[in-house]
Amino acid sequence: MLEIPSTSIFAIAVVILAIAILMYFSAKTLITSNLFQQGVTLYQQEDYPGAEAIFRKVISINSTNDVVRLLLGDVLVQQGNLESAAEIFGEVINRSPKYADAYLRLSNVLMQQEKREEAIKNLQLAKDLLQKQRQTEKVEKITQLLDKMKARSSKLSEM
């Protein structure tokens, strides 16, 4: 009978385990990718409740995907659920404080909630981040928007 050294058995077990882990993550990625695409399609078709369900499922599979969280927040905005959308955008900001799009989206929600000062603060934070990232076109647009908002605020305070 052929004797296999214990180190060979251990090496074989490690290789089999590594292959199993690789297959698991590959399957998880494929499932997540397909669900993400379904969610985007539903969003584009304006099936917001369907898109919300899919995006929540993607997040349950991969809780670290901030892009999906932003899309979920967008879906909630479209459904008029501003409180939940603000909460989602806030979560993204807490997880990824240098993610300017989260500040922009939160600012939009805050404007809809008529929370001007908070909206301006978040726009300024987004502008600062975008300046550091050298995204000059976006910075210019935000600067123009901030100037309009500040001018409007000063007119309202004069009344």
Side-chain angles (χ1 to χ4, degrees), residues 64-98:
T64 62
N65 192 324
D66 289 334
V67 171
V68 175
R69 288 182 188 282
L70 290 179
L71 289 170
L72 174 60
D74 291 344
V75 165
L76 293 169
V77 168
Q78 292 297 326
Q79 295 179 88
N81 191 347
L82 300 179
E83 286 297 321
S84 294
E87 199 173 296
I88 294 288
F89 297 141
E91 287 173 13
V92 173
I93 290 167
N94 287 334
R95 293 165 46 83
S96 304
K98 294 183 180 178

Side-chain angles (χ1 to χ4, degrees), residues 59-151:
I59 290 168
S60 74
I61 295 169
N62 182 358
S63 63
T64 62
N65 192 324
D66 289 334
V67 171
V68 175
R69 288 182 188 282
L70 290 179
L71 289 170
L72 174 60
D74 291 344
V75 165
L76 293 169
V77 168
Q78 292 297 326
Q79 295 179 88
N81 191 347
L82 300 179
E83 286 297 321
S84 294
E87 199 173 296
I88 294 288
F89 297 141
E91 287 173 13
V92 173
I93 290 167
N94 287 334
R95 293 165 46 83
S96 304
K98 294 183 180 178
Y99 203 167
D101 283 345
Y103 292 96
L104 293 171
R105 285 175 161 98
L106 179 57
S107 178
N108 180 44
V109 168
L110 293 168
M111 285 299 294
Q112 290 181 48
Q113 294 175 319
E114 298 183 19
K115 298 178 180 177
R116 286 180 97 59
E117 294 307 314
E118 286 181 63
I120 289 171
K121 178 181 144 201
N122 280 280
L123 274 175
Q124 187 63 53
L125 289 168
K127 178 184 166 187
D128 295 345
L129 287 170
L130 291 167
Q131 280 177 323
K132 289 177 186 172
Q133 297 167 7
R134 299 180 187 191
Q135 295 188 35
T136 53
E137 282 185 37
K138 287 184 178 181
V139 169
E140 287 176 28
K141 289 179 183 178
I142 293 172
T143 300
Q144 291 171 1
L145 181 58
L146 281 167
D147 290 345
K148 287 179 186 176
M149 290 174 71
K150 289 174 182 175

Side-chain angles (χ1 to χ4, degrees), residues 6 26 43 50 58 79-80 85 91 93 100 133 158:
S6 61
S26 295
Y43 181 83
V58 171
Q79 295 179 88
E91 287 173 13
I93 290 167
Q133 297 167 7
E158 289 174 5

Side-chain angles (χ1 to χ4, degrees), residues 2-21:
L2 181 66
E3 292 224 7
I4 302 173
S6 61
T7 56
S8 295
I9 293 172
F10 179 73
I12 291 169
V14 168
V15 168
I16 290 172
L17 179 62
I19 290 170
I21 290 170

Side-chain angles (χ1 to χ4, degrees), residues 13-57:
V14 168
V15 168
I16 290 172
L17 179 62
I19 290 170
I21 290 170
L22 182 61
M23 289 175 57
Y24 167 77
F25 284 115
S26 295
K28 185 177 174 181
T29 300
L30 183 61
I31 290 167
T32 303
S33 176
N34 288 337
L35 284 172
F36 176 77
Q37 190 56 52
Q38 286 176 11
V40 169
T41 299
L42 290 171
Y43 181 83
Q44 290 171 339
Q45 294 171 348
E46 298 180 9
D47 178 358
Y48 301 122
E52 177 185 355
I54 295 293
F55 290 144
R56 287 189 187 280
K57 192 170 189 176

